[in-house]
Amino acid sequence: MLCGAAVIAAGTVTAVPAGASAPHPVGAPYAAEPGWEKCGTDDYPSLQCASLTVPLDHARPDGKQITLALSRVPHTSDTYQGPLLVNPGGPGGSGLTLAGFVASSLPAEVAAQYDVIGFDPRGVGKSEPALNCRPGHFDPVRPDSVPATSAVEKANLSRVKSFAEACGEKYADVLPYIDTVSTARDMDAIRRAVGATRINYFGYSYGTYLGAVYAKLHPDRVRRLVLDSVVDPTDVWQDVNLNQDLAFQDRHRDFLAWTAEHDAAYALGSDPRRIEAAWYAMRTALVKKPAGGKVGASELEDTFLPGAYYNGYWPYLAEAFAAYVNDGDADPLVEAYENFGAVDAAGDNGYSVYTAVECRDAGWPRDWDEWRDTNWALYEKAPFMVWNNAWYNAPCAFWPTDPRLPVDVTNRELPPALLFQATDDAATPYEGALTAHRLLRGSSLVVEEGGGNHGITLSGNTCLDEHLSAYLADGTLPRRDSGGSSNNNKADAVCPTLPGPKPLESRAASTSSRGSTLHGLLGFRG
């Protein structure tokens, strides 16, 4: 819930290191300092909540106002390094709980030096208004995502057109301002409200693009910038999704190969190609008879997509797969769908903001024939998620607002940033991190070699976390050469990936619970 407006002291700053955010406002704030109130949970007892009023249109500060929901774990050290804003991606992901997670996962002596601030971006969660264009849009059973007949294509088109029309009818005055630039300006309103000259920022996934856009708008107001699992900022958003489709195919095959390696547990065979054939045979069967009346072909794809983001889900997915194929038991598949694929009210909200941002940030084709041709051609190479992802983004073909131009995030004025990337990440492929590394002059790139998870820091990899902690502690950055300068075409540091998961009976010994918690907080797709 949103917290009230009672004013609670934020704590006294007794020592501020050079370059830290000083505790006084810069410029006229949009509102008084947020009234922080206790809203701690069992997991994050120090969490505080507040709200902040900002303009819907930052070009008209006296116009219509909206409300942002904020969270904070306040600093406790005499050494204060300013606010650290965190974002989980999406777009459409809620950041309120992420503040508690980041503060509790960093070394205590580092976290204590920051006010770790989470926020629900405009339109999301507890921010007001919160978008929900078409409740139940993902209710099962949806039409088969693969439009093999004109009737199936028409059914899917009807769904996405209805979604776009509903958004336009319900939020006509809001949609032109649900975009990354507006959210970045909200971040600057947060900075002003907490009285900081500069912010520190830590974003995952889509949050890397949001951070890069903020840095482009206000390079002089950025102190430290951490980007984990980096969106290619030159490909927003159509090409990002098309590139994802190819990478999702590879990552799904990694899952099938892992299943083959553990034939003793799953009895699906030791040949990944035969297991892949069995997976698509399962998909075909679910078109005809959805499991439990809930899991058709589209829902199956929704269920297995999270495995392309985080391999900690593989044992659960493999068990459900094996039970269906070997025993004709659909119950584990239904359970897996409910755990990983089903969309609740929060998911409806997140998807509404996802589409609003991606359709507004950049142009998409308005001719459906172009969508059809592009995705059928790609489907020949990557059948796993191409059409599912196409329909996920297809409201942009019919979106009721005109697109903005993408932001060129090239930045030569920004203080050195720190980037993290797994080489086999499917949601944000590796090449995008190299691109961002080149565009952000002076940045350092830390690579998890052989890793395929999306969101890799604070997930149990000590090597990665040591680089993160050193940077947040005192600005230390790894550099490739002894001269101290970064080669923006290569990694500055390489960390080995964590061991892969084990079947469930021995999984607890090898899979980080922090990784599972983090991936429950990160938004899928973006």
mmCIF file of all heavy atoms in Angstrom, residues 387-417:
data_model
loop_
_atom_site.group_PDB
_atom_site.id
_atom_site.type_symbol
_atom_site.label_atom_id
_atom_site.label_comp_id
_atom_site.label_asym_id
_atom_site.label_seq_id
_atom_site.Cartn_x
_atom_site.Cartn_y
_atom_site.Cartn_z
ATOM 1 N N TRP A 387 6.524 -16.537 -32.649
ATOM 2 C CA TRP A 387 5.153 -16.043 -32.782
ATOM 3 C C TRP A 387 4.563 -15.640 -31.435
ATOM 4 O O TRP A 387 3.771 -14.687 -31.352
ATOM 5 C CB TRP A 387 4.273 -17.066 -33.504
ATOM 6 C CG TRP A 387 4.398 -16.918 -34.985
ATOM 7 C CD1 TRP A 387 5.024 -17.764 -35.851
ATOM 8 C CD2 TRP A 387 3.908 -15.825 -35.772
ATOM 9 N NE1 TRP A 387 4.955 -17.276 -37.132
ATOM 10 C CE2 TRP A 387 4.268 -16.086 -37.114
ATOM 11 C CE3 TRP A 387 3.215 -14.655 -35.486
ATOM 12 C CZ2 TRP A 387 3.950 -15.219 -38.162
ATOM 13 C CZ3 TRP A 387 2.886 -13.790 -36.522
ATOM 14 C CH2 TRP A 387 3.256 -14.072 -37.842
ATOM 15 N N ASN A 388 4.940 -16.308 -30.381
ATOM 16 C CA ASN A 388 4.493 -15.879 -29.060
ATOM 17 C C ASN A 388 4.964 -14.456 -28.785
ATOM 18 O O ASN A 388 4.190 -13.596 -28.330
ATOM 19 C CB ASN A 388 5.043 -16.850 -28.002
ATOM 20 C CG ASN A 388 4.480 -16.599 -26.624
ATOM 21 O OD1 ASN A 388 4.697 -15.545 -26.037
ATOM 22 N ND2 ASN A 388 3.785 -17.581 -26.076
ATOM 23 N N ASN A 389 6.221 -14.185 -29.080
ATOM 24 C CA ASN A 389 6.775 -12.851 -28.856
ATOM 25 C C ASN A 389 6.171 -11.833 -29.825
ATOM 26 O O ASN A 389 5.975 -10.662 -29.472
ATOM 27 C CB ASN A 389 8.295 -12.895 -29.005
ATOM 28 C CG ASN A 389 8.982 -11.795 -28.220
ATOM 29 O OD1 ASN A 389 8.440 -11.257 -27.257
ATOM 30 N ND2 ASN A 389 10.200 -11.459 -28.619
ATOM 31 N N ALA A 390 5.880 -12.269 -31.033
ATOM 32 C CA ALA A 390 5.255 -11.356 -32.000
ATOM 33 C C ALA A 390 3.903 -10.866 -31.490
ATOM 34 O O ALA A 390 3.610 -9.655 -31.525
ATOM 35 C CB ALA A 390 5.103 -12.054 -33.349
ATOM 36 N N TRP A 391 3.064 -11.788 -31.015
ATOM 37 C CA TRP A 391 1.754 -11.370 -30.508
ATOM 38 C C TRP A 391 1.884 -10.550 -29.235
ATOM 39 O O TRP A 391 1.050 -9.669 -28.972
ATOM 40 C CB TRP A 391 0.859 -12.587 -30.264
ATOM 41 C CG TRP A 391 0.558 -13.353 -31.515
ATOM 42 C CD1 TRP A 391 0.886 -14.646 -31.784
ATOM 43 C CD2 TRP A 391 -0.121 -12.869 -32.689
ATOM 44 N NE1 TRP A 391 0.456 -15.003 -33.042
ATOM 45 C CE2 TRP A 391 -0.159 -13.926 -33.621
ATOM 46 C CE3 TRP A 391 -0.683 -11.643 -33.045
ATOM 47 C CZ2 TRP A 391 -0.744 -13.799 -34.874
ATOM 48 C CZ3 TRP A 391 -1.274 -11.503 -34.292
ATOM 49 C CH2 TRP A 391 -1.301 -12.575 -35.189
ATOM 50 N N TYR A 392 2.920 -10.808 -28.459
ATOM 51 C CA TYR A 392 3.148 -10.036 -27.235
ATOM 52 C C TYR A 392 3.382 -8.561 -27.562
ATOM 53 O O TYR A 392 2.949 -7.665 -26.830
ATOM 54 C CB TYR A 392 4.362 -10.618 -26.509
ATOM 55 C CG TYR A 392 4.494 -10.230 -25.055
ATOM 56 C CD1 TYR A 392 3.798 -10.918 -24.066
ATOM 57 C CD2 TYR A 392 5.338 -9.202 -24.659
ATOM 58 C CE1 TYR A 392 3.933 -10.590 -22.734
ATOM 59 C CE2 TYR A 392 5.483 -8.863 -23.324
ATOM 60 C CZ TYR A 392 4.775 -9.563 -22.362
ATOM 61 O OH TYR A 392 4.914 -9.231 -21.037
ATOM 62 N N ASN A 393 4.055 -8.322 -28.683
ATOM 63 C CA ASN A 393 4.370 -6.950 -29.089
ATOM 64 C C ASN A 393 3.424 -6.377 -30.132
ATOM 65 O O ASN A 393 3.470 -5.172 -30.424
ATOM 66 C CB ASN A 393 5.804 -6.892 -29.636
ATOM 67 C CG ASN A 393 6.840 -7.133 -28.559
ATOM 68 O OD1 ASN A 393 7.122 -6.257 -27.756
ATOM 69 N ND2 ASN A 393 7.414 -8.326 -28.541
ATOM 70 N N ALA A 394 2.550 -7.214 -30.687
ATOM 71 C CA ALA A 394 1.720 -6.795 -31.814
ATOM 72 C C ALA A 394 0.767 -5.639 -31.536
ATOM 73 O O ALA A 394 0.364 -4.950 -32.488
ATOM 74 C CB ALA A 394 0.936 -7.997 -32.351
ATOM 75 N N PRO A 395 0.360 -5.356 -30.295
ATOM 76 C CA PRO A 395 -0.440 -4.136 -30.106
ATOM 77 C C PRO A 395 0.230 -2.878 -30.657
ATOM 78 O O PRO A 395 -0.457 -1.920 -31.005
ATOM 79 C CB PRO A 395 -0.604 -4.070 -28.576
ATOM 80 C CG PRO A 395 -0.606 -5.500 -28.145
ATOM 81 C CD PRO A 395 0.429 -6.147 -29.039
ATOM 82 N N CYS A 396 1.551 -2.907 -30.771
ATOM 83 C CA CYS A 396 2.257 -1.730 -31.304
ATOM 84 C C CYS A 396 1.908 -1.454 -32.761
ATOM 85 O O CYS A 396 2.088 -0.334 -33.246
ATOM 86 C CB CYS A 396 3.760 -1.902 -31.152
ATOM 87 S SG CYS A 396 4.326 -1.904 -29.424
ATOM 88 N N ALA A 397 1.413 -2.455 -33.476
ATOM 89 C CA ALA A 397 0.983 -2.235 -34.861
ATOM 90 C C ALA A 397 -0.290 -1.396 -34.917
ATOM 91 O O ALA A 397 -0.604 -0.811 -35.960
ATOM 92 C CB ALA A 397 0.766 -3.569 -35.570
ATOM 93 N N PHE A 398 -1.014 -1.337 -33.804
ATOM 94 C CA PHE A 398 -2.317 -0.675 -33.775
ATOM 95 C C PHE A 398 -2.395 0.351 -32.646
ATOM 96 O O PHE A 398 -3.483 0.764 -32.251
ATOM 97 C CB PHE A 398 -3.421 -1.734 -33.590
ATOM 98 C CG PHE A 398 -3.289 -2.892 -34.531
ATOM 99 C CD1 PHE A 398 -2.735 -4.098 -34.101
ATOM 100 C CD2 PHE A 398 -3.674 -2.778 -35.859
ATOM 101 C CE1 PHE A 398 -2.601 -5.170 -34.977
ATOM 102 C CE2 PHE A 398 -3.536 -3.841 -36.748
ATOM 103 C CZ PHE A 398 -2.996 -5.037 -36.298
ATOM 104 N N TRP A 399 -1.244 0.776 -32.154
ATOM 105 C CA TRP A 399 -1.209 1.599 -30.943
ATOM 106 C C TRP A 399 -1.816 2.979 -31.189
ATOM 107 O O TRP A 399 -1.610 3.570 -32.255
ATOM 108 C CB TRP A 399 0.224 1.726 -30.443
ATOM 109 C CG TRP A 399 0.292 2.075 -28.990
ATOM 110 C CD1 TRP A 399 0.791 3.206 -28.429
ATOM 111 C CD2 TRP A 399 -0.163 1.263 -27.906
ATOM 112 N NE1 TRP A 399 0.672 3.151 -27.065
ATOM 113 C CE2 TRP A 399 0.082 1.976 -26.718
ATOM 114 C CE3 TRP A 399 -0.768 0.005 -27.831
ATOM 115 C CZ2 TRP A 399 -0.250 1.460 -25.459
ATOM 116 C CZ3 TRP A 399 -1.106 -0.491 -26.588
ATOM 117 C CH2 TRP A 399 -0.845 0.229 -25.424
ATOM 118 N N PRO A 400 -2.553 3.512 -30.219
ATOM 119 C CA PRO A 400 -3.281 4.760 -30.445
ATOM 120 C C PRO A 400 -2.442 6.032 -30.320
ATOM 121 O O PRO A 400 -2.956 7.130 -30.560
ATOM 122 C CB PRO A 400 -4.367 4.730 -29.356
ATOM 123 C CG PRO A 400 -3.782 3.889 -28.272
ATOM 124 C CD PRO A 400 -2.957 2.847 -28.964
ATOM 125 N N THR A 401 -1.170 5.935 -29.933
ATOM 126 C CA THR A 401 -0.321 7.128 -29.888
ATOM 127 C C THR A 401 0.812 6.987 -30.889
ATOM 128 O O THR A 401 1.253 5.888 -31.205
ATOM 129 C CB THR A 401 0.283 7.331 -28.486
ATOM 130 O OG1 THR A 401 1.082 6.199 -28.155
ATOM 131 C CG2 THR A 401 -0.799 7.518 -27.440
ATOM 132 N N ASP A 402 1.305 8.117 -31.359
ATOM 133 C CA ASP A 402 2.439 8.116 -32.276
ATOM 134 C C ASP A 402 3.729 7.853 -31.507
ATOM 135 O O ASP A 402 3.853 8.212 -30.327
ATOM 136 C CB ASP A 402 2.538 9.451 -33.008
ATOM 137 C CG ASP A 402 1.386 9.669 -33.959
ATOM 138 O OD1 ASP A 402 0.854 8.669 -34.480
ATOM 139 O OD2 ASP A 402 1.007 10.842 -34.170
ATOM 140 N N PRO A 403 4.723 7.249 -32.149
ATOM 141 C CA PRO A 403 5.974 6.955 -31.451
ATOM 142 C C PRO A 403 6.887 8.171 -31.366
ATOM 143 O O PRO A 403 6.821 9.095 -32.181
ATOM 144 C CB PRO A 403 6.608 5.872 -32.326
ATOM 145 C CG PRO A 403 6.111 6.180 -33.706
ATOM 146 C CD PRO A 403 4.711 6.692 -33.521
ATOM 147 N N ARG A 404 7.742 8.137 -30.360
ATOM 148 C CA ARG A 404 8.852 9.082 -30.263
ATOM 149 C C ARG A 404 10.011 8.549 -31.093
ATOM 150 O O ARG A 404 9.983 7.421 -31.578
ATOM 151 C CB ARG A 404 9.310 9.212 -28.817
ATOM 152 C CG ARG A 404 8.260 9.609 -27.821
ATOM 153 C CD ARG A 404 8.856 9.713 -26.426
ATOM 154 N NE ARG A 404 9.848 10.773 -26.377
ATOM 155 C CZ ARG A 404 9.853 11.758 -25.482
ATOM 156 N NH1 ARG A 404 8.916 11.823 -24.550
ATOM 157 N NH2 ARG A 404 10.781 12.696 -25.502
ATOM 158 N N LEU A 405 11.058 9.354 -31.192
ATOM 159 C CA LEU A 405 12.308 8.872 -31.759
ATOM 160 C C LEU A 405 13.138 8.240 -30.651
ATOM 161 O O LEU A 405 13.166 8.738 -29.516
ATOM 162 C CB LEU A 405 13.085 10.028 -32.392
ATOM 163 C CG LEU A 405 12.450 10.660 -33.640
ATOM 164 C CD1 LEU A 405 13.276 11.866 -34.082
ATOM 165 C CD2 LEU A 405 12.351 9.642 -34.769
ATOM 166 N N PRO A 406 13.817 7.131 -30.928
ATOM 167 C CA PRO A 406 14.675 6.538 -29.897
ATOM 168 C C PRO A 406 15.761 7.518 -29.454
ATOM 169 O O PRO A 406 16.180 8.404 -30.208
ATOM 170 C CB PRO A 406 15.283 5.323 -30.599
ATOM 171 C CG PRO A 406 14.374 5.035 -31.744
ATOM 172 C CD PRO A 406 13.823 6.358 -32.178
ATOM 173 N N VAL A 407 16.220 7.343 -28.228
ATOM 174 C CA VAL A 407 17.264 8.205 -27.676
ATOM 175 C C VAL A 407 18.635 7.654 -28.057
ATOM 176 O O VAL A 407 18.903 6.463 -27.872
ATOM 177 C CB VAL A 407 17.145 8.289 -26.143
ATOM 178 C CG1 VAL A 407 18.287 9.122 -25.564
ATOM 179 C CG2 VAL A 407 15.794 8.876 -25.755
ATOM 180 N N ASP A 408 19.477 8.504 -28.596
ATOM 181 C CA ASP A 408 20.876 8.139 -28.831
ATOM 182 C C ASP A 408 21.606 8.321 -27.506
ATOM 183 O O ASP A 408 21.812 9.443 -27.045
ATOM 184 C CB ASP A 408 21.479 9.045 -29.901
ATOM 185 C CG ASP A 408 22.952 8.747 -30.179
ATOM 186 O OD1 ASP A 408 23.529 7.864 -29.499
ATOM 187 O OD2 ASP A 408 23.540 9.420 -31.051
ATOM 188 N N VAL A 409 21.995 7.218 -26.884
ATOM 189 C CA VAL A 409 22.574 7.302 -25.542
ATOM 190 C C VAL A 409 24.088 7.494 -25.561
ATOM 191 O O VAL A 409 24.724 7.479 -24.494
ATOM 192 C CB VAL A 409 22.218 6.055 -24.706
ATOM 193 C CG1 VAL A 409 20.717 5.866 -24.630
ATOM 194 C CG2 VAL A 409 22.902 4.802 -25.255
ATOM 195 N N THR A 410 24.672 7.686 -26.728
ATOM 196 C CA THR A 410 26.110 7.937 -26.800
ATOM 197 C C THR A 410 26.493 9.016 -25.791
ATOM 198 O O THR A 410 25.869 10.074 -25.742
ATOM 199 C CB THR A 410 26.514 8.387 -28.210
ATOM 200 O OG1 THR A 410 26.118 7.391 -29.152
ATOM 201 C CG2 THR A 410 28.006 8.614 -28.304
ATOM 202 N N ASN A 411 27.517 8.746 -24.993
ATOM 203 C CA ASN A 411 27.789 9.653 -23.886
ATOM 204 C C ASN A 411 29.289 9.757 -23.651
ATOM 205 O O ASN A 411 29.947 8.773 -23.309
ATOM 206 C CB ASN A 411 27.088 9.137 -22.619
ATOM 207 C CG ASN A 411 26.776 10.250 -21.645
ATOM 208 O OD1 ASN A 411 27.576 11.141 -21.443
ATOM 209 N ND2 ASN A 411 25.604 10.170 -21.035
ATOM 210 N N ARG A 412 29.807 10.965 -23.824
ATOM 211 C CA ARG A 412 31.218 11.243 -23.569
ATOM 212 C C ARG A 412 31.408 12.105 -22.321
ATOM 213 O O ARG A 412 32.529 12.489 -21.996
ATOM 214 C CB ARG A 412 31.834 11.933 -24.792
ATOM 215 C CG ARG A 412 31.693 11.139 -26.090
ATOM 216 C CD ARG A 412 32.279 11.875 -27.283
ATOM 217 N NE ARG A 412 33.733 12.025 -27.183
ATOM 218 C CZ ARG A 412 34.600 11.093 -27.535
ATOM 219 N NH1 ARG A 412 34.165 9.921 -27.998
ATOM 220 N NH2 ARG A 412 35.902 11.309 -27.423
ATOM 221 N N GLU A 413 30.322 12.427 -21.661
ATOM 222 C CA GLU A 413 30.396 13.290 -20.478
ATOM 223 C C GLU A 413 30.140 12.539 -19.180
ATOM 224 O O GLU A 413 30.310 13.087 -18.085
ATOM 225 C CB GLU A 413 29.366 14.421 -20.607
ATOM 226 C CG GLU A 413 29.513 15.256 -21.867
ATOM 227 C CD GLU A 413 28.370 16.239 -22.013
ATOM 228 O OE1 GLU A 413 27.973 16.827 -20.991
ATOM 229 O OE2 GLU A 413 27.869 16.405 -23.141
ATOM 230 N N LEU A 414 29.737 11.310 -19.269
ATOM 231 C CA LEU A 414 29.315 10.518 -18.119
ATOM 232 C C LEU A 414 30.525 10.027 -17.323
ATOM 233 O O LEU A 414 31.525 9.618 -17.901
ATOM 234 C CB LEU A 414 28.515 9.319 -18.629
ATOM 235 C CG LEU A 414 27.916 8.353 -17.626
ATOM 236 C CD1 LEU A 414 26.784 9.022 -16.861
ATOM 237 C CD2 LEU A 414 27.406 7.109 -18.354
ATOM 238 N N PRO A 415 30.452 10.031 -15.988
ATOM 239 C CA PRO A 415 31.497 9.358 -15.215
ATOM 240 C C PRO A 415 31.544 7.874 -15.582
ATOM 241 O O PRO A 415 30.562 7.313 -16.075
ATOM 242 C CB PRO A 415 31.034 9.550 -13.765
ATOM 243 C CG PRO A 415 30.124 10.727 -13.793
ATOM 244 C CD PRO A 415 29.447 10.690 -15.139
ATOM 245 N N PRO A 416 32.655 7.204 -15.346
ATOM 246 C CA PRO A 416 32.778 5.798 -15.756
ATOM 247 C C PRO A 416 31.683 4.919 -15.169
ATOM 248 O O PRO A 416 31.446 4.908 -13.960
ATOM 249 C CB PRO A 416 34.153 5.398 -15.224
ATOM 250 C CG PRO A 416 34.923 6.681 -15.162
ATOM 251 C CD PRO A 416 33.928 7.721 -14.776
ATOM 252 N N ALA A 417 31.030 4.188 -16.047
ATOM 253 C CA ALA A 417 29.955 3.275 -15.653
ATOM 254 C C ALA A 417 30.488 1.852 -15.594
ATOM 255 O O ALA A 417 31.532 1.521 -16.171
ATOM 256 C CB ALA A 417 28.804 3.359 -16.653
#
